[in-house]
PDB file of all heavy atoms in Angstrom:
ATOM      1  N   ASP A 603       0.891  -1.154   0.037  1.00  0.00           N
ATOM      2  CA  ASP A 603      -0.008  -0.039  -0.003  1.00  0.00           C
ATOM      3  C   ASP A 603       0.858   1.253   0.011  1.00  0.00           C
ATOM      4  O   ASP A 603       1.589   1.541   1.000  1.00  0.00           O
ATOM      5  CB  ASP A 603      -0.879  -0.072   1.206  1.00  0.00           C
ATOM      6  CG  ASP A 603      -1.825   1.098   1.316  1.00  0.00           C
ATOM      7  OD1 ASP A 603      -1.569   2.150   0.700  1.00  0.00           O
ATOM      8  OD2 ASP A 603      -2.896   1.076   2.076  1.00  0.00           O
ATOM      9  N   LYS A 604       0.841   2.006  -1.077  1.00  0.00           N
ATOM     10  CA  LYS A 604       1.789   3.201  -1.269  1.00  0.00           C
ATOM     11  C   LYS A 604       1.433   4.274  -0.266  1.00  0.00           C
ATOM     12  O   LYS A 604       2.252   4.869   0.241  1.00  0.00           O
ATOM     13  CB  LYS A 604       1.675   3.710  -2.647  1.00  0.00           C
ATOM     14  CG  LYS A 604       2.468   2.982  -3.621  1.00  0.00           C
ATOM     15  CD  LYS A 604       2.579   3.697  -5.002  1.00  0.00           C
ATOM     16  CE  LYS A 604       3.897   3.149  -5.738  1.00  0.00           C
ATOM     17  NZ  LYS A 604       4.329   4.115  -6.602  1.00  0.00           N
ATOM     18  N   ALA A 605       0.120   4.402   0.012  1.00  0.00           N
ATOM     19  CA  ALA A 605      -0.348   5.490   0.959  1.00  0.00           C
ATOM     20  C   ALA A 605       0.260   5.146   2.315  1.00  0.00           C
ATOM     21  O   ALA A 605       0.700   6.017   3.128  1.00  0.00           O
ATOM     22  CB  ALA A 605      -1.857   5.562   1.074  1.00  0.00           C
ATOM     23  N   LEU A 606       0.237   3.819   2.850  1.00  0.00           N
ATOM     24  CA  LEU A 606       0.768   3.473   4.095  1.00  0.00           C
ATOM     25  C   LEU A 606       2.241   3.654   4.162  1.00  0.00           C
ATOM     26  O   LEU A 606       2.840   4.135   5.089  1.00  0.00           O
ATOM     27  CB  LEU A 606       0.362   2.043   4.427  1.00  0.00           C
ATOM     28  CG  LEU A 606       0.863   1.514   5.922  1.00  0.00           C
ATOM     29  CD1 LEU A 606       0.480   2.407   6.988  1.00  0.00           C
ATOM     30  CD2 LEU A 606       0.329   0.028   6.053  1.00  0.00           C
ATOM     31  N   LYS A 607       3.025   3.306   3.085  1.00  0.00           N
ATOM     32  CA  LYS A 607       4.402   3.411   2.959  1.00  0.00           C
ATOM     33  C   LYS A 607       4.770   4.923   3.109  1.00  0.00           C
ATOM     34  O   LYS A 607       5.728   5.261   3.729  1.00  0.00           O
ATOM     35  CB  LYS A 607       4.923   2.812   1.704  1.00  0.00           C
ATOM     36  CG  LYS A 607       4.914   1.284   1.682  1.00  0.00           C
ATOM     37  CD  LYS A 607       5.429   0.687   0.396  1.00  0.00           C
ATOM     38  CE  LYS A 607       6.874   0.803   0.211  1.00  0.00           C
ATOM     39  NZ  LYS A 607       7.386   0.112  -0.920  1.00  0.00           N
ATOM     40  N   LYS A 608       3.968   5.715   2.521  1.00  0.00           N
ATOM     41  CA  LYS A 608       4.176   7.155   2.574  1.00  0.00           C
ATOM     42  C   LYS A 608       3.971   7.684   3.943  1.00  0.00           C
ATOM     43  O   LYS A 608       4.640   8.564   4.393  1.00  0.00           O
ATOM     44  CB  LYS A 608       3.411   7.949   1.475  1.00  0.00           C
ATOM     45  CG  LYS A 608       3.654   9.368   1.340  1.00  0.00           C
ATOM     46  CD  LYS A 608       2.845  10.021   0.262  1.00  0.00           C
ATOM     47  CE  LYS A 608       3.217  11.455   0.133  1.00  0.00           C
ATOM     48  NZ  LYS A 608       2.548  12.143  -1.027  1.00  0.00           N
ATOM     49  N   GLU A 609       2.923   7.244   4.564  1.00  0.00           N
ATOM     50  CA  GLU A 609       2.506   7.671   5.914  1.00  0.00           C
ATOM     51  C   GLU A 609       3.619   7.282   6.923  1.00  0.00           C
ATOM     52  O   GLU A 609       3.951   8.032   7.764  1.00  0.00           O
ATOM     53  CB  GLU A 609       1.267   6.919   6.367  1.00  0.00           C
ATOM     54  CG  GLU A 609       0.829   7.245   7.753  1.00  0.00           C
ATOM     55  CD  GLU A 609      -0.417   6.489   8.132  1.00  0.00           C
ATOM     56  OE1 GLU A 609      -1.165   6.008   7.283  1.00  0.00           O
ATOM     57  OE2 GLU A 609      -0.708   6.349   9.358  1.00  0.00           O
ATOM     58  N   LEU A 610       4.297   6.228   6.723  1.00  0.00           N
ATOM     59  CA  LEU A 610       5.427   5.761   7.670  1.00  0.00           C
ATOM     60  C   LEU A 610       6.761   6.347   7.315  1.00  0.00           C
ATOM     61  O   LEU A 610       7.652   6.305   8.091  1.00  0.00           O
ATOM     62  CB  LEU A 610       5.526   4.218   7.568  1.00  0.00           C
ATOM     63  CG  LEU A 610       4.304   3.443   8.087  1.00  0.00           C
ATOM     64  CD1 LEU A 610       4.436   1.902   7.715  1.00  0.00           C
ATOM     65  CD2 LEU A 610       4.047   3.650   9.524  1.00  0.00           C
ATOM     66  N   TRP A 611       6.908   6.928   6.116  1.00  0.00           N
ATOM     67  CA  TRP A 611       8.177   7.464   5.686  1.00  0.00           C
ATOM     68  C   TRP A 611       8.690   8.550   6.563  1.00  0.00           C
ATOM     69  O   TRP A 611       8.019   9.449   7.083  1.00  0.00           O
ATOM     70  CB  TRP A 611       8.088   7.992   4.234  1.00  0.00           C
ATOM     71  CG  TRP A 611       9.316   8.637   3.715  1.00  0.00           C
ATOM     72  CD1 TRP A 611       9.607   9.948   3.635  1.00  0.00           C
ATOM     73  CD2 TRP A 611      10.443   7.977   3.259  1.00  0.00           C
ATOM     74  NE1 TRP A 611      10.885  10.119   3.205  1.00  0.00           N
ATOM     75  CE2 TRP A 611      11.443   8.899   2.910  1.00  0.00           C
ATOM     76  CE3 TRP A 611      10.697   6.575   3.100  1.00  0.00           C
ATOM     77  CZ2 TRP A 611      12.665   8.531   2.420  1.00  0.00           C
ATOM     78  CZ3 TRP A 611      11.956   6.238   2.569  1.00  0.00           C
ATOM     79  CH2 TRP A 611      12.885   7.226   2.245  1.00  0.00           C
ATOM     80  N   GLN A 612      10.079   8.430   6.838  1.00  0.00           N
ATOM     81  CA  GLN A 612      10.714   9.539   7.554  1.00  0.00           C
ATOM     82  C   GLN A 612      11.843  10.173   6.737  1.00  0.00           C
ATOM     83  O   GLN A 612      12.556   9.398   6.029  1.00  0.00           O
ATOM     84  CB  GLN A 612      11.505   8.865   8.805  1.00  0.00           C
ATOM     85  CG  GLN A 612      10.633   8.095   9.715  1.00  0.00           C
ATOM     86  CD  GLN A 612       9.616   9.021  10.512  1.00  0.00           C
ATOM     87  OE1 GLN A 612      10.132  10.026  11.076  1.00  0.00           O
ATOM     88  NE2 GLN A 612       8.451   8.738  10.617  1.00  0.00           N
ATOM     89  N   ASP A 613      11.782  11.438   6.744  1.00  0.00           N
ATOM     90  CA  ASP A 613      12.817  12.196   5.867  1.00  0.00           C
ATOM     91  C   ASP A 613      14.258  11.774   5.951  1.00  0.00           C
ATOM     92  O   ASP A 613      14.923  11.692   4.937  1.00  0.00           O
ATOM     93  CB  ASP A 613      12.740  13.765   6.095  1.00  0.00           C
ATOM     94  CG  ASP A 613      11.357  14.332   5.607  1.00  0.00           C
ATOM     95  OD1 ASP A 613      10.770  13.667   4.662  1.00  0.00           O
ATOM     96  OD2 ASP A 613      10.952  15.333   6.221  1.00  0.00           O
ATOM     97  N   GLY A 614      14.645  11.419   7.138  1.00  0.00           N
ATOM     98  CA  GLY A 614      16.069  10.954   7.351  1.00  0.00           C
ATOM     99  C   GLY A 614      16.415   9.671   6.726  1.00  0.00           C
ATOM    100  O   GLY A 614      17.607   9.301   6.508  1.00  0.00           O
ATOM    101  N   TRP A 615      15.492   8.973   6.191  1.00  0.00           N
ATOM    102  CA  TRP A 615      15.691   7.658   5.579  1.00  0.00           C
ATOM    103  C   TRP A 615      16.271   7.698   4.241  1.00  0.00           C
ATOM    104  O   TRP A 615      16.576   6.732   3.617  1.00  0.00           O
ATOM    105  CB  TRP A 615      14.409   6.802   5.493  1.00  0.00           C
ATOM    106  CG  TRP A 615      13.974   6.333   6.881  1.00  0.00           C
ATOM    107  CD1 TRP A 615      14.559   6.409   8.094  1.00  0.00           C
ATOM    108  CD2 TRP A 615      12.725   5.728   7.186  1.00  0.00           C
ATOM    109  NE1 TRP A 615      13.902   5.884   9.105  1.00  0.00           N
ATOM    110  CE2 TRP A 615      12.700   5.475   8.616  1.00  0.00           C
ATOM    111  CE3 TRP A 615      11.553   5.349   6.436  1.00  0.00           C
ATOM    112  CZ2 TRP A 615      11.692   4.906   9.248  1.00  0.00           C
ATOM    113  CZ3 TRP A 615      10.533   4.842   7.080  1.00  0.00           C
ATOM    114  CH2 TRP A 615      10.597   4.573   8.525  1.00  0.00           C
ATOM    115  N   THR A 616      16.335   8.907   3.590  1.00  0.00           N
ATOM    116  CA  THR A 616      16.961   9.096   2.332  1.00  0.00           C
ATOM    117  C   THR A 616      18.423   8.681   2.233  1.00  0.00           C
ATOM    118  O   THR A 616      18.908   8.378   1.206  1.00  0.00           O
ATOM    119  CB  THR A 616      16.791  10.535   1.730  1.00  0.00           C
ATOM    120  OG1 THR A 616      17.405  11.432   2.671  1.00  0.00           O
ATOM    121  CG2 THR A 616      15.338  10.972   1.479  1.00  0.00           C
ATOM    122  N   MET A 617      19.123   8.669   3.465  1.00  0.00           N
ATOM    123  CA  MET A 617      20.432   8.173   3.511  1.00  0.00           C
ATOM    124  C   MET A 617      20.472   6.622   3.230  1.00  0.00           C
ATOM    125  O   MET A 617      21.423   6.062   2.734  1.00  0.00           O
ATOM    126  CB  MET A 617      21.055   8.393   4.830  1.00  0.00           C
ATOM    127  CG  MET A 617      20.392   7.737   5.960  1.00  0.00           C
ATOM    128  SD  MET A 617      21.146   8.241   7.627  1.00  0.00           S
ATOM    129  CE  MET A 617      22.836   7.807   7.522  1.00  0.00           C
ATOM    130  N   TYR A 618      19.366   5.897   3.445  1.00  0.00           N
ATOM    131  CA  TYR A 618      19.232   4.470   3.160  1.00  0.00           C
ATOM    132  C   TYR A 618      18.569   4.291   1.779  1.00  0.00           C
ATOM    133  O   TYR A 618      18.739   3.320   1.166  1.00  0.00           O
ATOM    134  CB  TYR A 618      18.510   3.760   4.224  1.00  0.00           C
ATOM    135  CG  TYR A 618      19.068   3.932   5.637  1.00  0.00           C
ATOM    136  CD1 TYR A 618      18.353   4.745   6.516  1.00  0.00           C
ATOM    137  CD2 TYR A 618      20.298   3.470   5.946  1.00  0.00           C
ATOM    138  CE1 TYR A 618      18.923   4.982   7.696  1.00  0.00           C
ATOM    139  CE2 TYR A 618      20.865   3.735   7.220  1.00  0.00           C
ATOM    140  CZ  TYR A 618      20.181   4.464   8.106  1.00  0.00           C
ATOM    141  OH  TYR A 618      20.604   4.726   9.387  1.00  0.00           O
ATOM    142  N   TYR A 619      17.614   5.040   1.484  1.00  0.00           N
ATOM    143  CA  TYR A 619      16.698   4.939   0.286  1.00  0.00           C
ATOM    144  C   TYR A 619      16.795   6.363  -0.426  1.00  0.00           C
ATOM    145  O   TYR A 619      15.864   7.125  -0.249  1.00  0.00           O
ATOM    146  CB  TYR A 619      15.292   4.593   0.711  1.00  0.00           C
ATOM    147  CG  TYR A 619      15.223   3.444   1.673  1.00  0.00           C
ATOM    148  CD1 TYR A 619      14.798   3.699   3.037  1.00  0.00           C
ATOM    149  CD2 TYR A 619      15.549   2.159   1.327  1.00  0.00           C
ATOM    150  CE1 TYR A 619      14.780   2.611   3.983  1.00  0.00           C
ATOM    151  CE2 TYR A 619      15.515   1.112   2.217  1.00  0.00           C
ATOM    152  CZ  TYR A 619      15.171   1.334   3.565  1.00  0.00           C
ATOM    153  OH  TYR A 619      15.148   0.303   4.474  1.00  0.00           O
ATOM    154  N   PRO A 620      17.845   6.543  -1.281  1.00  0.00           N
ATOM    155  CA  PRO A 620      17.995   7.802  -1.927  1.00  0.00           C
ATOM    156  C   PRO A 620      16.824   8.310  -2.767  1.00  0.00           C
ATOM    157  O   PRO A 620      16.618   9.389  -3.055  1.00  0.00           O
ATOM    158  CB  PRO A 620      19.292   7.635  -2.744  1.00  0.00           C
ATOM    159  CG  PRO A 620      20.038   6.472  -2.146  1.00  0.00           C
ATOM    160  CD  PRO A 620      18.918   5.641  -1.482  1.00  0.00           C
ATOM    161  N   GLY A 621      16.083   7.308  -3.310  1.00  0.00           N
ATOM    162  CA  GLY A 621      14.953   7.581  -4.148  1.00  0.00           C
ATOM    163  C   GLY A 621      13.662   7.955  -3.425  1.00  0.00           C
ATOM    164  O   GLY A 621      12.588   8.073  -3.983  1.00  0.00           O
ATOM    165  N   GLY A 622      13.799   8.005  -2.049  1.00  0.00           N
ATOM    166  CA  GLY A 622      12.713   8.460  -1.221  1.00  0.00           C
ATOM    167  C   GLY A 622      11.627   7.227  -1.083  1.00  0.00           C
ATOM    168  O   GLY A 622      11.993   6.069  -1.292  1.00  0.00           O
ATOM    169  N   VAL A 623      10.392   7.705  -0.853  1.00  0.00           N
ATOM    170  CA  VAL A 623       9.361   6.631  -0.584  1.00  0.00           C
ATOM    171  C   VAL A 623       9.095   5.738  -1.879  1.00  0.00           C
ATOM    172  O   VAL A 623       8.615   4.644  -1.709  1.00  0.00           O
ATOM    173  CB  VAL A 623       8.048   7.404  -0.334  1.00  0.00           C
ATOM    174  CG1 VAL A 623       7.379   8.107  -1.388  1.00  0.00           C
ATOM    175  CG2 VAL A 623       7.022   6.423   0.387  1.00  0.00           C
ATOM    176  N   ASP A 624       9.531   6.163  -3.015  1.00  0.00           N
ATOM    177  CA  ASP A 624       9.341   5.361  -4.208  1.00  0.00           C
ATOM    178  C   ASP A 624      10.667   4.522  -4.580  1.00  0.00           C
ATOM    179  O   ASP A 624      10.669   3.817  -5.533  1.00  0.00           O
ATOM    180  CB  ASP A 624       9.027   6.203  -5.427  1.00  0.00           C
ATOM    181  CG  ASP A 624       7.626   6.861  -5.208  1.00  0.00           C
ATOM    182  OD1 ASP A 624       6.748   6.166  -4.829  1.00  0.00           O
ATOM    183  OD2 ASP A 624       7.456   8.068  -5.637  1.00  0.00           O
ATOM    184  N   ASP A 625      11.600   4.618  -3.698  1.00  0.00           N
ATOM    185  CA  ASP A 625      12.879   3.841  -3.923  1.00  0.00           C
ATOM    186  C   ASP A 625      12.558   2.347  -3.912  1.00  0.00           C
ATOM    187  O   ASP A 625      11.916   1.876  -3.089  1.00  0.00           O
ATOM    188  CB  ASP A 625      13.913   4.196  -2.780  1.00  0.00           C
ATOM    189  CG  ASP A 625      15.250   3.634  -3.129  1.00  0.00           C
ATOM    190  OD1 ASP A 625      15.376   2.388  -3.441  1.00  0.00           O
ATOM    191  OD2 ASP A 625      16.213   4.482  -2.985  1.00  0.00           O
ATOM    192  N   PRO A 626      12.973   1.631  -5.044  1.00  0.00           N
ATOM    193  CA  PRO A 626      12.688   0.213  -5.069  1.00  0.00           C
ATOM    194  C   PRO A 626      13.237  -0.687  -3.807  1.00  0.00           C
ATOM    195  O   PRO A 626      12.761  -1.725  -3.597  1.00  0.00           O
ATOM    196  CB  PRO A 626      13.215  -0.256  -6.358  1.00  0.00           C
ATOM    197  CG  PRO A 626      14.099   0.824  -6.838  1.00  0.00           C
ATOM    198  CD  PRO A 626      13.773   2.040  -6.090  1.00  0.00           C
ATOM    199  N   GLU A 627      14.237  -0.082  -3.193  1.00  0.00           N
ATOM    200  CA  GLU A 627      14.779  -0.806  -2.071  1.00  0.00           C
ATOM    201  C   GLU A 627      14.003  -0.591  -0.816  1.00  0.00           C
ATOM    202  O   GLU A 627      14.270  -1.276   0.170  1.00  0.00           O
ATOM    203  CB  GLU A 627      16.300  -0.390  -1.809  1.00  0.00           C
ATOM    204  CG  GLU A 627      17.266  -1.135  -2.767  1.00  0.00           C
ATOM    205  CD  GLU A 627      17.221  -2.688  -2.453  1.00  0.00           C
ATOM    206  OE1 GLU A 627      17.486  -3.052  -1.311  1.00  0.00           O
ATOM    207  OE2 GLU A 627      16.994  -3.459  -3.367  1.00  0.00           O
ATOM    208  N   TYR A 628      13.194   0.307  -0.743  1.00  0.00           N
ATOM    209  CA  TYR A 628      12.317   0.657   0.424  1.00  0.00           C
ATOM    210  C   TYR A 628      11.218  -0.289   0.604  1.00  0.00           C
ATOM    211  O   TYR A 628      10.217  -0.277  -0.167  1.00  0.00           O
ATOM    212  CB  TYR A 628      11.834   2.094   0.314  1.00  0.00           C
ATOM    213  CG  TYR A 628      10.897   2.559   1.446  1.00  0.00           C
ATOM    214  CD1 TYR A 628      11.173   2.448   2.786  1.00  0.00           C
ATOM    215  CD2 TYR A 628       9.646   3.110   1.091  1.00  0.00           C
ATOM    216  CE1 TYR A 628      10.246   2.815   3.836  1.00  0.00           C
ATOM    217  CE2 TYR A 628       8.741   3.531   2.056  1.00  0.00           C
ATOM    218  CZ  TYR A 628       9.005   3.338   3.476  1.00  0.00           C
ATOM    219  OH  TYR A 628       8.098   3.733   4.349  1.00  0.00           O
ATOM    220  N   THR A 629      11.329  -1.195   1.626  1.00  0.00           N
ATOM    221  CA  THR A 629      10.284  -2.189   1.880  1.00  0.00           C
ATOM    222  C   THR A 629       9.827  -2.031   3.329  1.00  0.00           C
ATOM    223  O   THR A 629      10.533  -1.789   4.208  1.00  0.00           O
ATOM    224  CB  THR A 629      10.739  -3.605   1.707  1.00  0.00           C
ATOM    225  OG1 THR A 629      11.083  -3.826   0.320  1.00  0.00           O
ATOM    226  CG2 THR A 629       9.831  -4.678   2.140  1.00  0.00           C
ATOM    227  N   VAL A 630       8.540  -2.024   3.354  1.00  0.00           N
ATOM    228  CA  VAL A 630       7.893  -1.917   4.799  1.00  0.00           C
ATOM    229  C   VAL A 630       7.248  -3.274   5.063  1.00  0.00           C
ATOM    230  O   VAL A 630       6.595  -3.921   4.255  1.00  0.00           O
ATOM    231  CB  VAL A 630       6.808  -0.825   4.808  1.00  0.00           C
ATOM    232  CG1 VAL A 630       6.074  -0.857   6.189  1.00  0.00           C
ATOM    233  CG2 VAL A 630       7.424   0.500   4.617  1.00  0.00           C
ATOM    234  N   LEU A 631       7.674  -3.729   6.272  1.00  0.00           N
ATOM    235  CA  LEU A 631       7.122  -4.994   6.804  1.00  0.00           C
ATOM    236  C   LEU A 631       6.123  -4.754   7.948  1.00  0.00           C
ATOM    237  O   LEU A 631       6.391  -3.947   8.813  1.00  0.00           O
ATOM    238  CB  LEU A 631       8.218  -5.908   7.285  1.00  0.00           C
ATOM    239  CG  LEU A 631       9.355  -6.206   6.244  1.00  0.00           C
ATOM    240  CD1 LEU A 631      10.428  -7.009   6.990  1.00  0.00           C
ATOM    241  CD2 LEU A 631       8.804  -6.989   5.122  1.00  0.00           C
ATOM    242  N   MET A 632       5.027  -5.488   7.991  1.00  0.00           N
ATOM    243  CA  MET A 632       4.010  -5.158   8.973  1.00  0.00           C
ATOM    244  C   MET A 632       3.837  -6.555   9.796  1.00  0.00           C
ATOM    245  O   MET A 632       3.527  -7.622   9.200  1.00  0.00           O
ATOM    246  CB  MET A 632       2.686  -4.905   8.359  1.00  0.00           C
ATOM    247  CG  MET A 632       1.537  -4.681   9.461  1.00  0.00           C
ATOM    248  SD  MET A 632      -0.034  -4.062   8.717  1.00  0.00           S
ATOM    249  CE  MET A 632      -0.523  -5.560   7.757  1.00  0.00           C
TER     250      MET A 632
END
């Protein structure tokens, strides 16, 4: 769910996921 991934996103995470919330390496586990 892109909306949930966006809701959880933290700005400082760009150091791990340079492409931001749409970075293909950004995975959220629930």
